[in-house]
Amino acid sequence: MSGVTPSTPAPALARQLEFTADAVQAVRSGRSLTEVLGRCPPELRPGVQALAFHTLRWLGSATEARARLAPKTPPPLVDALLVTALALLWPGEPAPYAPHTLVDQAVSAARLRTPAAAGFINAVLRRFLREAEAIVAAVRHTPLGEYNHPLWWVERVRRDWPQDWQALLLQANERPPMTLRVNARRGSGASYVQGLAALGRAATLLDEPGLGGQAVVLGAPCPVPQLPGFAAGEVSVQDAAAQRAAGLLLDPASPWLRPQARVLDACAAPGGKTAHLLELAELDLLALDSDPARLARVQETLNRLQLRAELKAGDARLPAGWWDGRPFDAILLDAPCTASGIVRRHPDVRWLRRADDVAALARVQAEMLDALWPLLAPGGRLLYATCSIFQAEGRQQIDAFLQRQPPGTALLDPRSPGHLLPSRDNGSSGPTGRSAVLQDGFFYALIRKT
Ligand SMILES: C[S@@+](CC[C@H](N)C(=O)[O-])C[C@H]1O[C@@H](n2cnc3c(N)ncnc32)[C@H](O)[C@@H]1O
């Protein structure tokens, strides 16, 4: 487990467990892990983040185990510490700590935070150590314990992907790779891999059509500032599935946009795809986002990469508030979504979402499509993207949009890969085999205006 070393002194582990339990409790009450970690003391943050990621990946199993060990739900803080310890004790992943160290430290954490429950926590965890085999076997027979996602989510994935649903749910608990995008203005993926090799660091070029020879997967993740050339703009961190957007819209193999074509990136922050578009072509690009704080991150990214765009805060559904009336030659709509394709990277997401969020987000996406389509010049292309594996935010959304358009408005095949699943062979237009597993779940549809 990154950020956690078995040699960490025991008192530090008890404190980390306290903060991890607080983070789990906060996520359970609807706050994002990023927000919670921001309030963690800086010296504890890397360790707490690693423990919280692990706990959230196994939260379903731990919750089922706790229900068997202590059927009456304890008060929230006690429960959070219990499920944290149970998740970290869960067999199957390399254990971050020896079981007895973990139990001792969880009890120390309880003495600090919920002293009256320390004996109870001690008894429950020691019983788990004694009966782990039977409890784990029983828990694996429940959907929550087996798949570690809320039941509504399991049902939706099963309905949307009857062939792949189990693989999709299980792979969502894997550790994601750290993937880089080498700045095409500064070098190739192959040369960056060579440079890393010279430093004794392993990395692989993802050499697939659609990635332009710029995507590199690191052999082992590292802190971003330790990436050679990061500060100088040679490289950025971006999942390989996300790296497909710019190529799909610009089609570098047969470029269709004139230099300085007018392009809208309608949901731009934090700017990964904005920057990629500008690395590949000279564009007059407007980067729009409704969140001014997130928009500031777009500017930071562009500064680092020495790229330029116009930035505006505004609601993509209400162009009257920000559009100057000049049509766009191309539009990227990387719409807000459930993020169901990137749960490996954000293990809190599945616990934060509610079943009715899917329909609410799908409504927003449809409003964005309807509002932006009239802004596209005839002959122009709109790329719709979501980092979701749910059909309601992908295939069904685009089918419904095309139904609302005049006859002749159609997907640009084969440049519209549709759903890219991280668990399987996606055919000729998407990642296959091992490289599929190295990429997040995404949906892409490219539509040409006649
Ligand atoms: C999936 S993220 C975009 C990621 C970005 N394209 C990138 O590659 O870095 C979706 C973005 O949509 C923005 N957003 C949400 N509602 C919006 C709206 N009504 N109008 C414009 N932007 C919106 C969010 O603030 C968020 O930054």
Side-chain angles (χ1 to χ4, degrees), residues 279-448:
E279 285 168 6
L280 294 183
E282 300 292 341
L283 303 169
D284 171 11
L285 190 146
L286 171 60
L288 182 84
D289 202 280
S290 58
D291 183 335
R294 283 172 64 82
L295 209 50
R297 293 177 57 197
V298 181
Q299 190 59 60
E300 283 166 21
T301 299
L302 295 181
N303 291 347
R304 182 177 61 81
L305 296 165
Q306 294 156 40
L307 299 167
R308 289 178 51 147
E310 182 186 1
L311 271 54
K312 271 191 188 171
D315 188 329
R317 295 168 297 179
L318 302 170
W322 49 266
W323 187 44
D324 64 7
R326 289 185 296 144
F328 294 101
D329 301 301
I331 296 178
L332 169 60
L333 171 53
D334 186 18
C337 69
T338 55
S340 62
I342 57 170
V343 280
R344 286 184 308 178
R345 295 183 192 283
H346 301 280
D348 54 337
V349 157
R350 68 193 101 170
W351 308 115
L352 290 169
R353 295 274 176 247
R354 300 289 168 256
D356 51 9
D357 288 349
V358 185
L361 282 158
R363 263 195 305 281
V364 171
Q365 293 151 9
E367 287 166 12
M368 287 182 168
L369 279 164
D370 289 345
L372 297 176
W373 186 247
L375 279 52
L376 189 64
R381 299 179 190 183
L382 181 146
L383 180 68
Y384 171 79
T386 55
C387 54
S388 176
I389 58 167
F390 295 154
Q391 303 257 3
E393 302 183 283
R395 174 74 58 211
Q396 289 165 5
Q397 178 71 267
I398 284 305
D399 285 352
F401 173 73
L402 293 175
Q403 290 280 318
R404 297 196 291 277
Q405 303 313 312
T409 310
L411 293 179
L412 253 176
D413 277 330
R415 302 195 51 72
S416 270
H419 284 281
L420 299 178
L421 300 182
S423 64
R424 71 157 191 210
D425 185 331
N426 287 279
S428 59
S429 58
T432 58
R434 186 179 120 71
S435 64
V437 185
L438 288 173
Q439 309 190 22
D440 289 340
F442 248 85
F443 176 84
Y444 286 115
L446 186 64
I447 314 167
R448 181 168 42 200

Side-chain angles (χ1 to χ4, degrees), residues 251-263:
D251 197 0
S254 37
W256 62 280
L257 279 172
R258 63 186 161 77
Q260 295 304 328
R262 205 164 137 68
V263 175

Side-chain angles (χ1 to χ4, degrees), residues 9-343:
L13 176 55
R15 287 208 71 210
Q16 287 180 17
L17 289 172
E18 264 191 278
F19 279 96
T20 306
D22 284 352
V24 168
Q25 173 55 20
V27 168
R28 280 177 153 182
S29 54
R31 282 160 45 218
S32 88
L33 187 60
T34 311
E35 177 201 332
V36 181
L37 288 174
R39 283 201 290 277
C40 185
E43 69 280 10
L44 292 180
R45 202 173 295 152
V48 171
Q49 173 167 321
L51 293 175
F53 268 48
H54 185 121
T55 303
L56 291 167
R57 289 193 176 108
W58 296 98
L59 186 59
S61 304
T63 303
E64 286 284 1
R66 201 278 299 143
R68 280 162 178 72
L69 291 158
K72 186 166 172 282
T73 307
L77 275 183
V78 177
D79 192 38
L81 186 53
L82 264 180
V83 294
T84 297
L86 287 167
L88 293 168
L89 288 168
W90 204 256
E93 276 208 65
Y97 293 98
H100 284 95
T101 307
L102 241 160
V103 172
D104 287 346
Q105 292 301 301
V107 174
S108 299
R111 286 202 192 97
L112 295 168
R113 193 59 65 98
T114 53
F120 166 72
I121 286 178
N122 186 34
V124 170
L125 294 179
R126 287 189 193 282
R127 189 180 144 208
F128 178 69
L129 292 187
R130 287 193 306 275
E131 299 176 23
E133 203 175 318
I135 291 170
V136 168
V139 161
R140 287 212 172 117
H141 282 105
T142 66
L144 183 62
E146 172 69 353
Y147 297 115
N148 284 287
H149 285 71
L151 296 185
W152 69 265
W153 187 303
V154 173
E155 276 315 306
R156 182 172 277 273
V157 177
R158 191 212 299 254
R159 203 178 56 215
D160 279 359
W161 301 107
Q163 307 292 321
D164 304 274
W165 67 278
Q166 287 153 308
L168 281 168
L169 290 165
L170 292 174
Q171 102 20 261
N173 250 12
E174 299 288 321
R175 309 278 172 92
M178 184 166 179
T179 308
L180 311 178
R181 182 190 77 241
V182 178
N183 183 346
R185 293 184 180 226
R186 306 289 294 278
S188 68
S191 62
Y192 195 79
V193 169
Q194 275 175 9
L196 287 174
L199 298 170
R201 292 168 64 174
T204 312
L205 177 70
L206 272 184
D207 195 11
E208 278 195 24
L211 292 173
Q214 302 301 121
V216 170
V217 176
L218 292 183
C222 72
V224 173
Q226 287 175 17
L227 290 171
F230 178 79
E234 282 175 39
V235 70
S236 300
V237 178
Q238 188 180 42
D239 180 76
Q243 290 188 43
R244 291 176 181 272
L248 284 170
L249 188 58
L250 299 177
D251 197 0
S254 37
W256 62 280
L257 279 172
R258 63 186 161 77
Q260 295 304 328
R262 205 164 137 68
V263 175
L264 171 67
D265 185 352
C267 293
K273 298 184 191 70
T274 312
H276 195 189
L277 287 165
L278 292 167
E279 285 168 6
L280 294 183
E282 300 292 341
L283 303 169
D284 171 11
L285 190 146
L286 171 60
L288 182 84
D289 202 280
S290 58
D291 183 335
R294 283 172 64 82
L295 209 50
R297 293 177 57 197
V298 181
Q299 190 59 60
E300 283 166 21
T301 299
L302 295 181
N303 291 347
R304 182 177 61 81
L305 296 165
Q306 294 156 40
L307 299 167
R308 289 178 51 147
E310 182 186 1
L311 271 54
K312 271 191 188 171
D315 188 329
R317 295 168 297 179
L318 302 170
W322 49 266
W323 187 44
D324 64 7
R326 289 185 296 144
F328 294 101
D329 301 301
I331 296 178
L332 169 60
L333 171 53
D334 186 18
C337 69
T338 55
S340 62
I342 57 170
V343 280

